[in-house]
Amino acid sequence: MSNRKILVTNALPFANGPIHVGHLLGYVQADIWVRFQRMRGNEVAYVCADDTHGTAIMLRAEKEGITPEELINRVNGEHRRDFAGFHVDFDIYYTTHSDENRELANLIYSRLRDADKIAERSITQLYDPEKEMFLADRFIKGECPKCGAADQYGDNCESCSSTYDATDLKNPYSTISGATPVKKESTHFFFKLPEFTDMLKEWTRSGVLVPQVANKLAEWLDAGLQEWDISRDAPYFGFEIPGAPEKYFYVWLDAPIGYMASFKKLCDTHGELNFDDFWSANAPTELYHFIGKDIINFHALFWPAMLETAGFKKPDLISVNGFLTVNGQKMSKSRGTFIMAETYLQHLNPEYLRYYFAAKLGNTPEDLDLNLDDFVQRVNSDMVGKVVNLASRSAGFISKNFGGNLGDNLEVPELLKEFSDAGEEIAELYEAREFSKAIRLIMSLADKANQYIADKEPWVIAKENPEDPQVQSICATGINLFRVLVVYLKPILPELASKVESFLKIEPLSWQDAQQVLTNHTIDKFKPLMTRVETDKVEQMVEASKESLMTSETETPAAPESNSPTGKDPVSPEIEFPDFAKVDLRIVKIINAEHVEGADKLLKLTLSLGPDDEGNDIQRTVFSGIKSAYNPEQLVGMHTVMVANLKPRKMKFGLSDGMILASGDGSKVFLLEPHEGAAPGTRVT
């Protein structure tokens, strides 16, 4: 079979924040598939980039007092670091804010326009008179026009699930400035998507998507497609539309073109790749997209229709993954299960997570649960207990008694043949992205290998005669079985495979190596290849996630939300007075403040609540995320307010016994200070 030439892309992460473990699911899935294809001898180009355009990028940069270019460059470096930390090995990780992307976006737009697939008409939108900008739905809140629920976004109601136009909201306000928006007309450009309905109905059923995804798309196709608004008005961070001053391409037009632009940059860097070989309409190569299920419509409706019109190749397959839950629930900041990639890497081996994801991933967009107890048990049982343990049980005898040489007399050749024969079935499962099924088959082989060693009991034979040739034969067989298992696991565990290659003193393993055996070969002395997952490390990761997210929450709102023109502040749901009465707020004096080694945002505060009944000073230690606003010496002697009856929380830096109150708008933090004369220990009422 001739080698295949494949281009693989991953969904482009938005350059507005860090990578978390939920994001990693799709990237790990694609990376495993790419590594498998390369082990099979196929040629694969693997590209990705940051999605860098849009209003949200512009507003965040403005809030931080930097340019959008400075923001996206910084985030790009952070994303590269996190992906590399999890062994996600792109051939290029680029940006959609590039000359290549601008040129290709202009080219595709011109071809759509020349083919009469672009409509132009005036629309009415809500406009923020203070910020002097049109507002996307997510930057508008108001009362639902159907049920009257307050503080609903501009496209749907979370209370009654109704959908509507933002202009239908009652008492709307801008979440950016708090101003009351006004209706204003503007000319927009639309892609005539309904004209592609028949093509898309056929294409989505051609095998490019699994049936579950095709069925979902059929619902939209049968309901009738709408023309797609591909323009946005200034101010906007993106590419200006040719011939249309102050009009910009909507981010979702140039984002998928970023796949092409990233590959073009790769081609320009590596002369052996040719852009047209992969993107021309009839290119014989293969194009695979790996995406999350929340962006199916862009990739399986808008994107293929654009490519069809512009004369480029449509995807051969779109692999869609589901969302990640942790411990059976949506990732939570308060529970510490909203885990950033960087936080995970500070505590745990990235291959633990790669293996766990693979052990649960199929080729359908089902959600995947990261159960932390199961995570510990499965990695320790499978990877350490079954795979690595097989090598450690066998290698010691070979090194100690036979000079590290495996000899040429292997036992049970039928078991070795069973292992090598399983290669094609496992390969088919990898090809189909049925990783969990592949793992089950690999682990069943690992069980058989360990059972073989247990039945043969080389330690018993060695006790009688350490140099008995049977001991060498049994253990050499165990090493060969282990080697085949590592071949099959290498796409998932590249770092482990590299260590094994060094231990066995062999060249990098290919898929075909599962058909070979090592005889008359000298191996190195065994060293631990993977340690067990420690429960306390998992707990520390969760606690660190609570700390890092708790102290950064003031950075995320788009604008202060206390300026509602309706007279109703958009706060949390109402509580009864007895609930509030449970909160014991006390005046405290800060008697010491110091930096916390290893913490970016925390200060350690020692607080005085005044004297107890015997005159002894009551003191509490609290960790607070106010480092960006205060130096420790500023705080000593200040009075503030604390929640005195909050259950102490164990953090990786120590026990935080309470919480002080502060206010922030995303750029500044202010401690709450009582009126002069309030004494420590006084209850706030």
Side-chain angles (χ1 to χ4, degrees), residues 500-517:
V500 171
E501 289 157 358
S502 296
F503 156 55
L504 296 180
K505 295 183 176 180
I506 57 176
E507 294 297 314
L509 291 164
S510 69
W511 199 261
Q512 290 70 30
D513 286 325
Q515 307 300 314
Q516 310 298 323
V517 294

Side-chain angles (χ1 to χ4, degrees), residues 389-411:
N389 186 51
L390 178 62
S392 66
R393 297 170 80 185
S394 304
F397 293 108
I398 295 293
S399 296
K400 182 178 180 181
N401 303 326
F402 303 97
N405 192 276
L406 299 177
D408 59 2
N409 182 27
L410 299 182
E411 283 218 346

Side-chain angles (χ1 to χ4, degrees), residues 341-591:
E342 183 182 19
T343 306
Y344 178 101
L345 291 170
Q346 290 169 354
H347 296 86
L348 296 170
N349 183 337
E351 297 209 322
Y352 295 159
L353 191 66
R354 286 179 66 101
Y355 179 77
Y356 191 78
F357 280 171
K360 303 189 79 172
L361 269 168
N363 62 8
T364 60
E366 303 299 325
D367 292 347
L368 187 153
D369 183 51
L370 171 57
N371 181 287
L372 294 175
D373 290 335
D374 180 53
F375 166 76
V376 172
Q377 188 278 331
R378 184 174 296 217
V379 173
N380 288 343
S381 173
D382 289 2
M383 292 315 307
V384 181
K386 294 181 181 180
V387 178
V388 173
N389 186 51
L390 178 62
S392 66
R393 297 170 80 185
S394 304
F397 293 108
I398 295 293
S399 296
K400 182 178 180 181
N401 303 326
F402 303 97
N405 192 276
L406 299 177
D408 59 2
N409 182 27
L410 299 182
E411 283 218 346
V412 290
E414 65 275 9
L415 183 57
L416 283 165
K417 186 176 186 303
E418 180 182 350
F419 271 51
S420 60
D421 287 349
E424 279 310 304
E425 182 178 356
I426 294 171
E428 290 173 3
L429 294 172
Y430 268 116
E431 177 68 40
R433 308 174 318 288
E434 293 281 15
F435 298 160
S436 62
K437 293 180 181 178
I439 288 291
R440 285 198 291 272
L441 181 49
I442 295 167
M443 286 304 121
S444 72
L445 294 175
D447 288 334
K448 291 179 180 180
N450 280 285
Q451 188 61 52
Y452 162 74
I453 297 295
D455 290 344
K456 291 293 183 179
E457 297 182 317
W459 49 88
V460 174
I461 304 170
K463 187 176 291 187
E464 295 292 329
N465 179 10
E467 297 181 4
D468 190 320
Q470 189 179 7
V471 175
Q472 185 183 32
S473 176
I474 293 168
C475 293
T477 300
I479 291 294
N480 270 277
L481 296 174
F482 165 74
R483 174 177 163 277
V484 175
L485 293 175
V486 173
V487 169
Y488 298 152
L489 289 167
K490 184 174 179 178
I492 300 167
L493 306 168
E495 184 178 28
L496 175 68
S498 179
K499 291 179 180 179
V500 171
E501 289 157 358
S502 296
F503 156 55
L504 296 180
K505 295 183 176 180
I506 57 176
E507 294 297 314
L509 291 164
S510 69
W511 199 261
Q512 290 70 30
D513 286 325
Q515 307 300 314
Q516 310 298 323
V517 294
L518 283 180
T519 57
N520 287 319
H521 180 83
T522 300
I523 64 174
D524 209 346
K525 187 176 180 180
F526 180 82
K527 297 177 182 178
L529 298 168
M530 180 179 281
T531 58
R532 293 172 60 83
V533 185
E534 299 176 22
T535 303
D536 63 334
K537 294 289 188 184
V538 176
E539 293 172 350
Q540 289 169 16
M541 176 185 68
V542 170
E543 289 301 319
S545 298
K546 290 179 183 177
E547 179 265 323
S548 63
L549 284 152
M550 178 188 72
T551 57
S552 66
E553 282 177 347
T554 56
E555 299 175 6
T556 55
E561 293 191 336
S562 59
N563 300 320
S564 169
T566 65
K568 299 179 182 178
D569 286 343
V571 298
S572 301
E574 291 181 347
I575 61 173
E576 299 293 336
F577 183 79
D579 295 319
F580 173 72
K582 295 176 183 178
V583 182
D584 188 355
L585 299 176
R586 299 276 177 161
I587 305 297
V588 291
K589 181 179 180 180
I590 302 174
I591 59 176

Side-chain angles (χ1 to χ4, degrees), residues 588-606:
V588 291
K589 181 179 180 180
I590 302 174
I591 59 176
N592 190 47
E594 56 189 272
H595 293 291
V596 180
E597 185 176 355
D600 295 332
K601 303 173 183 177
L602 292 179
L603 293 179
K604 180 180 178 180
L605 308 179
T606 303

Side-chain angles (χ1 to χ4, degrees), residues 79 98 165 197 208 216 336 416 463 509 557 577 579 615 641 644 652:
H79 287 180
S98 69
D165 292 330
T197 299
V208 70
K216 179 62 181 177
L416 283 165
K463 187 176 291 187
L509 291 164
F577 183 79
D579 295 319
V641 181
K652 70 176 181 179

